[in-house]
Amino acid sequence: MITAYIALGSNLQNPQQQLHHAIAALAALRDSQLLQVSAIYRSPAIGPGEQPHYLNAVACIQTELDPEALLDALQAQEQAQGRRRELRWGARTLDLDILLYADQVIDTPRLQVPHPAIQQRNFVLYPLADICPANFVLPDGADLDTLVSNCPVGELEKTGLQLQ
Ligand code: ROI
């Protein structure tokens, strides 16, 4: 069994409900178990034009799916929840990204793990740190607590909303 961390994001069509559906799908994912889900965070969209704020969260699963099969399942869920081919960095009903897959480093045309944006994005780092074990270290040796203290909280807000 592999422990994997998945980032969830939505800024269209009732984002809170989108995240709830996505968590239900992760809980039902074959050959996998949902272990933990962070609180929901709200932040201004990084991306072009005027966009609604995002809701973000991070989930931890245990899985026997290999990385590509996990990615297939996540992309199928994005499609099931109405994600359309969109503008780069445009608004979306649901984004599901594999942040970490055990301590594996994966670099294929389809999949980069650890997710390349982890270190710069407060809406990924803060919820990730909520549910990671203490003194967690990323595959490149970076210490999660240090990354969090170097990443300004800015306009990121922890909401009182829970998904589990
Ligand atoms: N901006 C925020 N705040 N949250 C996201 O999850 C998010 N996801 C994205 C882009 C478009 C980069 N902007 C985002 O994919």
Side-chain angles (χ1 to χ4, degrees), residues 139-154:
D140 68 357
D143 163 67
L144 185 58
D145 291 337
T146 307
L147 293 177
V148 169
S149 23
N150 290 338
C151 184
V153 68

Side-chain angles (χ1 to χ4, degrees), residues 40-103:
I40 297 181
Y41 286 75
R42 181 185 293 109
S43 60
I46 296 181
E50 285 274 308
Q51 288 187 38
H53 277 45
Y54 269 84
L55 293 186
N56 288 103
V58 171
C60 177
I61 64 170
Q62 273 195 336
T63 188
E64 287 175 12
L65 298 177
D66 64 37
E68 295 268 328
L70 178 58
L71 180 63
D72 288 340
L74 299 181
Q75 290 184 341
Q77 190 58 31
E78 290 175 342
Q79 295 303 315
Q81 291 187 221
R83 176 146 172 194
R84 304 285 168 248
R85 279 186 75 84
E86 77 265 318
L87 206 68
R88 181 161 188 260
W89 288 14
R92 69 260 332 254
T93 51
L94 181 64
D95 206 6
L96 293 173
D97 290 327
I98 303 174
L99 298 176
L100 298 165
Y101 184 87
D103 58 358

